Amino acid sequence: SIASADMDLNQLEAFLTAQTKKQGGITSDQAAVIAKFWKNHRIKIHESLINQSRWENVLKNMNWRVDLKSQSRHIDQINTPVAIVEMELGKNGQ
């Protein structure tokens, strides 16, 4: 629950307090250990979950620009914006 919600320290404290008050829940010592572990490894755990949830390709790079037409046969097409987007995809982990 902690990892999937990517809890910040306030949410973590509230969650662990609720778990210690539950019947059959965790002890306050266990809550302290979990909190310390989460504080030290939160970023690694979050990145691992993201990597596990990816399928195949990932976005490696993206370039974009907006062009305006300055000449055209038809006057209503002048100054019409056109967005050009270039995305580079790659395999996960490469």
Side-chain angles (χ1 to χ4, degrees):
S1 295
I2 296 167
S4 64
D6 193 27
M7 293 184 184
D8 62 22
L9 296 180
N10 293 331
Q11 293 170 323
L12 175 66
E13 184 178 331
F15 177 77
L16 292 176
T17 300
Q19 295 301 311
T20 58
K21 293 181 180 181
K22 270 179 148 178
Q23 187 171 1
I26 61 176
T27 66
S28 58
D29 290 337
Q30 290 171 326
V33 170
I34 292 169
K36 184 176 180 180
F37 182 83
W38 181 247
K39 289 175 190 175
N40 291 332
H41 300 287
R42 177 182 179 194
I43 294 171
K44 289 179 187 175
I45 294 169
H46 183 71
E47 287 175 357
S48 175
L49 287 175
I50 288 173
N51 287 334
Q52 291 174 23
S53 67
R54 289 185 185 143
W55 289 345
E56 283 288 321
N57 293 326
V58 294
L59 182 63
K60 295 290 187 181
N61 190 19
M62 186 175 102
N63 295 312
W64 64 275
R65 71 176 197 242
V66 176
D67 292 344
L68 293 174
K69 281 190 174 185
S70 61
Q71 292 181 339
S72 180
R73 285 189 208 167
H74 306 288
I75 192 80
D76 59 336
Q77 291 180 347
I78 294 178
N79 291 330
T80 303
V82 176
I84 298 172
V85 180
E86 177 185 10
M87 293 186 278
E88 180 184 347
L89 301 176
K91 295 286 184 190
N92 191 13
Q94 294 181 349

